[in-house]
């Protein structure tokens, strides 16, 4: 993993921790449907917070894939490479 | 005199209709509005006489609506599951003729009485839909028009669709209030005038959909197996300036087929319903598409529309209206994931929230689309309808 990717991972995890008010060591266990607030509205709130954090905009088709921290990190990395 | 609202964003082409539909809720003083068609970053609007002082506030609110909707909006490719060219040759609006012939009577905004021919056509469509739904072995239910505010609050409907609610009140149990109302209430030509202090708090609303009743019935329960339910009911969605003839009624009739169970079960049933009803629509010679769609969420929750598109949660049957060269949603196929299962605590025997889905057809809209495509003379109707609808 490059330093840049490590930074992305950390910032995604911080955003997730803020969004769902959990501690950083609880982030890995988060997932859509696994946390009471990660429902449809929680998902879209999270997407918009990630977009704001990284200054990007996910296309609609990609939003359905972003259902866990690892998938979000990968998607942000893809966008960062563009 | 017209005023203008400069928008902080340019409205994307595919958001224009939804954006304009929301502007009806900006202010009671707002009489007319239009989005500059090319630039799409400026709204010209006119306020009611005597309310010119509201213009700057209205401009601010229009800009707020634009900003919030654009922030939540993502462009998406429309997914078309079925596309059919209809057999009809008609291209006039059937509603003026129906009114002239005493088959349709407007009582007020979004409120229409229907005569024998329309009723027969709607009854035929409902019979055929119900017959098609038999292959799902649904249990038949009947629900009231009223629905508890508690149910809509638990389902977050109050938050997602506040603009569409129809709240129900009655007079407070207070002898003086009842007597005073009886003495003073008057129709002033536009509304009933009475002292709002005499009205009760809101306990119920008029139901916006049939399936909420079903989910309310099942709340806090454990279901042993996957199941299907069907019911017909009156539904109520206030749509302000968007109300328009039979196309958009405040008060309409919906036949629903509802699924409760595992995600795989609900999705398989939805797919089966899409195929079954497409066959039915083909028999009726209708021109239509079944394609991805969203619900009309209010601006604060508009991101939910993007969520629906991203997860393929909603598909609509959009029937051709040749007289408008537009289409009209006459039915929909919805997958709610475990939203209602979680909101209303409907679980399987392992305590996991169940998924739900529903198929709904608006019978007045179906009748309108059919008549708009085939005309009122039943000699020009497909045999499947003409032979069975008297």
């Amino acid at each position: 993993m490059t330093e840049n990717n490590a930074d992305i991972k950390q910032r995604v995890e911080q955003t997730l921790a803020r969004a769902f008010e959990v501690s950083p060591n609880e982030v890995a266990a988060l997932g859509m449907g696994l946390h009471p607030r990660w429902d449809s509205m929680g998902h879209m709130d999270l997407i918009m917070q990630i977009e704001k954090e990284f200054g990007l905009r996910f296309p609609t088709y990609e939003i359905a894939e972003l259902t866990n921290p690892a998938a979000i990190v990968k998607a942000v990395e893809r966008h960062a490479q563009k | 005199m017209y005023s203008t609202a400069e928008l902080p964003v340019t409205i994307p082409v595919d958001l224009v209709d939804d954006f304009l539909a929301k502007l009806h809720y900006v202010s009671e003083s707002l009489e007319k509005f239009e989005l500059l068609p090319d630039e799409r970053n400026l709204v010209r609007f006119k306020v009611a006489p005597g309310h010119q002082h509201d213009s700057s506030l209205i401009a601010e609110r229009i800009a707020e609506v634009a900003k919030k909707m654009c922030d939540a909006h993502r462009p998406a490719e429309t997914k078309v599951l079925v596309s059919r060219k209809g057999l009809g040759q008609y291209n006039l609006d059937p509603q003026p003729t129906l009114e002239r012939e005493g088959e349709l009577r407007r009582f007020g905004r979004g409120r229409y009485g229907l005569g024998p021919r329309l009723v027969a056509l709607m009854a035929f469509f409902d019979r055929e839909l119900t017959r098609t739904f038999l292959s799902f072995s649904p249990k038949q239910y009947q629900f009231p028009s009223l629905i508890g505010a508690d149910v809509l609050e638990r389902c977050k409907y109050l938050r997602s669709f506040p603009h569409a609610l129809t709240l129900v009140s009655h007079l407070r149990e207070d002898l003086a209030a009842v007597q005073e109302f009886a003495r003073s209430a008057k129709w002033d030509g536009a509304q009933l005038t009475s002292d709002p202090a005499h009205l009760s708090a809101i306990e119920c609303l008029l139901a916006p959909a049939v399936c909420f009743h079903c989910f309310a019935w099942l709340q806090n329960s454990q279901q042993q197996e996957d199941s299907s339910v069907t019911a017909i009911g009156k539904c109520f969605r206030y749509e302000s300036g968007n109300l328009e003839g039979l196309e958009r009624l405040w008060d309409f009739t919906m036949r629903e087929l509802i699924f409760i169970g595992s995600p795989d079960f609900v999705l398989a049933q939805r797919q089966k319903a899409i195929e079954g009803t497409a066959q039915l629509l083909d028999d009726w010679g209708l021109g239509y598409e079944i394609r991805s769609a969203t619900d009309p969420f209010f601006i604060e929750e508009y991101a939910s529309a993007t969520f629906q598109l991203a997860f393929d949660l909603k598909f609509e049957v959009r029937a051709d209206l040749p007289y408008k060269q537009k289409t009209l949603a006459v039915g929909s196929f919805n997958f709610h994931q475990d939203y209602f299962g979680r909101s209303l605590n409907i679980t399987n025997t392992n305590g996991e929230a169940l998924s739900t889905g529903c198929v709904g057809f608006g019978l007045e809209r179906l009748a309108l689309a059919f008549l708009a495509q085939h005309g009122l003379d039943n000699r020009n109707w497909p045999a499947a309808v003409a032979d069975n609808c008297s």
Side-chain angles (χ1 to χ4, degrees), chain B residues 45-336:
Chain B
F45 64 92
K46 192 175 177 189
V47 296
H51 291 266
Q52 202 57 39
H53 56 279
D54 291 341
S55 293
S56 59
L57 177 64
I58 289 173
E60 272 174 40
R61 288 180 176 179
I62 290 173
E64 178 188 344
V65 172
K67 175 82 169 59
K68 286 186 170 163
M69 289 182 77
C70 285
D71 281 353
H73 175 73
R74 301 288 182 285
E77 229 170 81
T78 303
K79 293 180 184 169
V80 179
L81 305 184
V82 180
S83 181
R84 296 281 194 272
K85 209 167 155 47
L87 303 174
Q89 302 290 321
Y90 201 71
N91 61 4
L92 300 176
D93 181 354
Q95 295 174 95
T97 309
L98 287 167
E99 287 199 56
R100 262 198 317 278
E101 294 182 357
E103 286 287 334
L104 184 64
R105 176 67 183 265
R106 184 182 188 274
F107 291 123
R109 286 189 309 152
R111 295 181 291 121
Y112 281 79
L114 310 178
R117 288 169 70 190
L118 275 170
V119 169
L121 195 55
M122 286 168 55
F124 166 75
F125 289 142
D126 187 45
R127 277 197 308 277
E128 291 298 291
L129 284 166
T130 307
R131 187 178 56 76
T132 300
F133 293 166
L134 283 178
S135 66
F136 296 84
S137 305
K139 293 174 189 138
Q140 298 229 23
Y141 279 73
Q142 180 175 306
F143 301 117
S145 294
L146 295 172
I147 191 161
D150 56 327
V151 174
L152 296 185
E153 198 271 336
R154 281 184 74 178
C155 299
K156 301 194 178 88
Y157 193 89
L158 304 180
R159 201 172 99 176
S160 297
F161 303 96
H163 56 304
L165 300 173
T166 306
L167 309 165
V168 174
S169 182
H170 55 81
L171 294 178
R172 288 169 42 231
E173 285 84 353
D174 179 305
L175 184 63
V178 177
Q179 288 169 329
E180 173 57 22
F181 179 89
R183 262 195 304 272
S184 63
K186 278 199 174 50
W187 180 253
D188 74 358
Q191 62 185 340
L192 192 66
T193 58
S194 69
D195 184 348
H198 296 154
L199 300 180
S200 70
I202 306 298
E203 174 190 348
C204 288
L205 294 91
L206 291 174
V210 176
C211 59
F212 288 113
H213 295 292
C214 177
F215 304 143
W217 188 307
L218 299 177
Q219 69 182 311
N220 302 322
S221 74
Q222 283 198 339
Q223 298 298 303
Q224 307 288 328
E225 55 189 15
D226 299 332
S227 61
S228 302
V229 164
T230 187
I232 187 170
K234 297 294 279 185
C235 299
F236 305 84
R237 296 179 193 171
Y238 178 67
E239 301 213 33
S240 184
N242 303 307
L243 293 166
E244 185 182 4
L246 293 179
E247 286 177 41
R248 204 166 284 280
L249 293 165
W250 186 351
D251 166 346
F252 59 97
T253 317
M254 188 144 69
R255 164 62 67 181
E256 283 201 36
L257 175 63
I258 302 152
F259 313 117
I260 306 104
S262 69
D264 288 348
F265 167 78
V266 173
L267 282 168
Q269 300 305 93
R270 184 176 74 160
Q271 183 55 34
K272 183 177 160 188
I274 288 171
E275 288 158 16
T277 50
Q279 180 59 55
L280 210 50
L281 299 169
D282 293 345
D283 291 345
W284 301 339
L286 285 172
Y288 67 95
E289 278 189 349
I290 299 179
R291 63 190 199 208
S292 50
T294 63
D295 283 312
F297 292 93
F298 199 57
I299 55 169
E300 322 294 342
E301 303 280 319
Y302 200 72
S304 295
T306 300
F307 184 86
Q308 283 185 314
L309 288 173
F311 286 84
D312 292 335
L313 300 187
K314 187 178 190 75
F315 292 93
E316 277 180 349
V317 180
R318 296 204 65 95
D320 298 337
L321 288 186
Y323 67 89
K324 278 196 137 174
Q325 297 186 316
K326 283 194 168 182
T327 60
L328 178 69
V330 298
S332 65
F333 307 91
N334 306 283
F335 177 44
H336 313 128

